[in-house]
Amino acid sequence: MHLSEKAVDPPGEARADLDIFLDYARRMDFRNRDGAPLIDWTTPEQAYAAWQRCSAGRPCDYTAITYERLRGGSGIQWGGERLYTDGVFNTDPGYCETYGQDLSTGAEFTAEQYRAKQPAGRAFLPAADYQPSPEVPSEEYPLLLTTGRTVYQFHTRTKTGRAPELNAAAPDVWVELHPQDAARHGIAEGDLVGIASPRGAVEARARLGGIRPGVVFVPFHYGYFDVDPARRRPRAANEMTVTAWDPVSKQPLFKVAAVRIAKLAGSDD
Amino acid sequence: MHLAHYLGLLHRAQLARADAFRQVADAHGAEPDIDHLCRQQAKRCDDHAARLEPFARRYAEKAPEEPERLHSELFRGTRTGGIGLLRDLQDLYLMTAECDICWTVVGQAAQGARDRDLLDVVTRCEGETAIQLAWLRSRMKQAAPQALVVAD
């Protein structure tokens, strides 16, 4: 855990996130059981203190992690060196945070079902039969698309895209291909490639490399906020990804989609 | 022995349910989880039907005439919108509950007939059917407040 303190005041009319949330709580007129305002704090440290009270006695108890300790070093490892050294896990039915879910559907288990397993501090390691991803390569879309990051950019580049050195290091989208897949489509290093899934398509310059044959990689950092609308070309990787998520973790299915590719222009065009 | 009739009832109910799951996936594809999970469950129903099929065929050879009003019709097409989704999931829930109780009944008959192979199929499929019921219940609980209280 780290404490990130304010570095600069918000510029112009901008407001700190916390102030926006507090304003929202005030306008919603949230009240506690005594009819007093639910939120009785205003500073980040007061907000943290409220969270510490909230978490007291629960598996995520923050009461021992004070501002003083957080400022003392370079952060605090949750739970110390090792968790569960006594072999007792937070699975007691009266203390646990969830009764668990079926991994394939997200179906919630009931308190009775959970108690019947007699958890008593034992850990659970649920297993699930293998199931293919909702979208797998087909004749029409024979390649598997996975999306990800480059070290120079963060998320949709709203910060790193404005840092000249970082942006210059990775200024635009690209597509990574295995040389065999590229050769099959007449694609060479630097060619402009069209990549299409059943939902959408992007254009990107080819980089040939050590990626697994049959798999193509497109970084998801590149969108349209910093592109002149007149010069806009489709480049956002999530034009292609499936709009769905894992039923338990709710992780979006950004890592697996089926696509086809074609050469659009040479490296000099 | 009338076991064949219940195997036939369950077999046809599984196929109807697979079809209904697919129709609900088509009708409510805008809900990001419905499309994938309904198709996943449709496949599971197909799988259950396929596992039953050899037993239905074998027992049919010893079966008397099919009794009247054996089969039920629990699904007559999908609806639209938030409350439509809730109501469609309720249809799927009732269809799944029908299969669930059929597995119980067939399981008892399999014990009586000393049919270990059929009992293995029942044990596997009734467990998966219980998960389907639990999922539909979870998903309906999730959909109900928005559909019944918030939506216009």
Side-chain angles (χ1 to χ4, degrees):
Chain A
M1 287 183 61
H2 295 266
L3 180 59
S4 296
E5 309 221 38
K6 182 171 73 174
V8 293
D9 285 318
E13 293 180 14
R15 293 193 294 167
D17 290 349
L18 178 61
D19 292 338
I20 296 171
F21 290 137
L22 289 171
D23 192 25
Y24 177 75
R26 189 182 56 77
R27 292 190 203 200
M28 291 300 287
D29 197 27
F30 292 135
R31 300 270 163 180
N32 66 20
R33 284 180 188 160
D34 298 328
L38 179 69
I39 307 300
D40 62 357
W41 33 264
T42 51
T43 68
E45 188 161 1
Q46 288 168 342
Y48 182 69
W51 170 240
Q52 285 180 304
R53 287 196 296 278
C54 240
S55 66
R58 300 295 301 145
C60 60
D61 191 326
Y62 281 71
T63 51
I65 303 172
T66 59
Y67 257 46
E68 200 181 6
R69 280 183 66 206
L70 286 167
R71 286 194 178 117
S74 65
I76 295 174
Q77 180 73 36
W78 180 263
E81 286 271 303
R82 285 180 67 84
L83 287 164
Y84 311 118
T85 46
D86 56 0
V88 177
F89 296 82
N90 297 330
T91 52
D92 182 84
Y95 185 65
C96 66
E97 295 188 304
T98 173
Y99 299 133
Q101 289 168 279
D102 171 59
L103 292 181
S104 66
T105 61
E108 295 158 6
F109 297 133
T110 64
E112 291 76 13
Q113 287 169 329
Y114 187 77
R115 283 176 194 278
K117 294 178 197 165
Q118 299 186 307
R122 288 179 298 132
F124 290 111
L125 298 172
D129 287 334
Y130 168 76
Q131 287 183 50
S133 194
E135 188 166 279
V136 292
S138 61
E139 213 163 284
E140 198 180 352
Y141 297 97
L143 296 168
L144 192 146
L145 167 75
T146 191
T147 66
R149 301 165 184 277
T150 172
V151 69
Y152 302 108
Q153 304 285 6
F154 183 70
H155 289 179
T156 49
R157 297 168 52 257
T158 53
K159 293 188 181 86
T160 51
R162 294 181 166 98
E165 296 85 350
L166 294 175
N167 205 43
D172 203 355
V173 70
W174 73 91
V175 56
E176 284 178 37
L177 302 169
H178 188 274
Q180 284 171 13
D181 294 321
R184 201 169 296 128
H185 293 84
I187 294 166
E189 178 83 17
D191 286 353
L192 187 65
V193 177
I195 311 111
S197 83
R199 290 157 298 280
V202 302
E203 299 173 9
R205 293 286 168 183
R207 282 189 198 171
L208 311 192
I211 196 168
R212 184 192 291 187
V215 176
V216 305
F217 170 85
V218 177
F220 59 63
H221 303 292
Y222 301 94
Y224 308 108
F225 80 89
D226 57 342
V227 184
D228 176 359
R231 299 166 53 108
R232 206 172 265 185
R233 304 173 90 164
R235 67 171 188 166
N238 285 330
E239 308 268 14
M240 298 183 285
T241 48
V242 183
T243 304
W245 48 70
D246 177 84
V248 177
S249 70
K250 312 295 186 202
Q251 187 77 11
L253 296 184
F254 290 158
K255 299 297 177 190
V256 187
V259 294
R260 60 180 177 229
I261 57 170
K263 177 174 168 175
L264 300 179
S267 57
D268 303 329
D269 303 329
Chain B
M1 184 150 60
H2 287 280
L3 175 53
H5 300 318
Y6 249 77
L7 293 172
L9 166 60
L10 182 50
H11 185 258
R12 196 193 286 190
Q14 294 288 7
L15 293 179
R17 205 155 65 89
D19 182 55
F21 266 119
R22 289 195 174 91
Q23 286 188 46
V24 173
D26 288 339
H28 302 284
E31 296 282 334
D33 60 330
I34 288 291
D35 183 81
H36 163 50
L37 286 174
C38 280
R39 284 181 209 289
Q40 180 195 84
Q41 296 312 321
K43 266 192 219 164
R44 189 146 280 172
C45 297
D46 284 337
D47 175 65
H48 289 187
R51 287 175 193 278
L52 267 177
E53 209 264 344
F55 296 98
R57 223 172 335 109
R58 191 196 310 158
Y59 282 100
E61 289 163 11
K62 311 173 202 166
E65 205 176 318
E66 189 174 286
E68 59 182 335
R69 294 202 307 281
L70 177 67
H71 300 281
S72 51
E73 188 197 3
L74 295 170
F75 187 70
R76 295 184 190 171
T78 57
R79 307 155 181 92
T80 57
I83 192 160
L85 172 64
L86 191 61
R87 192 64 190 77
D88 286 347
L89 292 174
Q90 183 158 320
D91 279 351
L92 293 173
Y93 186 90
L94 293 176
M95 296 173 89
T96 306
E98 180 184 45
C99 290
D100 181 57
I101 192 65
C102 282
W103 283 120
T104 301
V105 169
V106 168
Q108 292 299 104
Q111 303 249 27
R114 308 278 194 275
D115 188 335
R116 286 186 171 279
D117 293 339
L118 179 56
L119 205 53
D120 286 346
V121 171
V122 170
T123 304
R124 179 198 174 103
C125 294
E126 70 182 355
E128 292 181 345
T129 306
I131 291 290
Q132 291 180 318
L133 276 177
W135 172 62
L136 288 163
R137 178 180 285 273
S138 299
R139 191 60 183 79
M140 289 179 72
K141 280 170 74 172
Q142 184 190 327
Q146 183 74 21
L148 301 184
V149 179
V150 182
D152 291 326

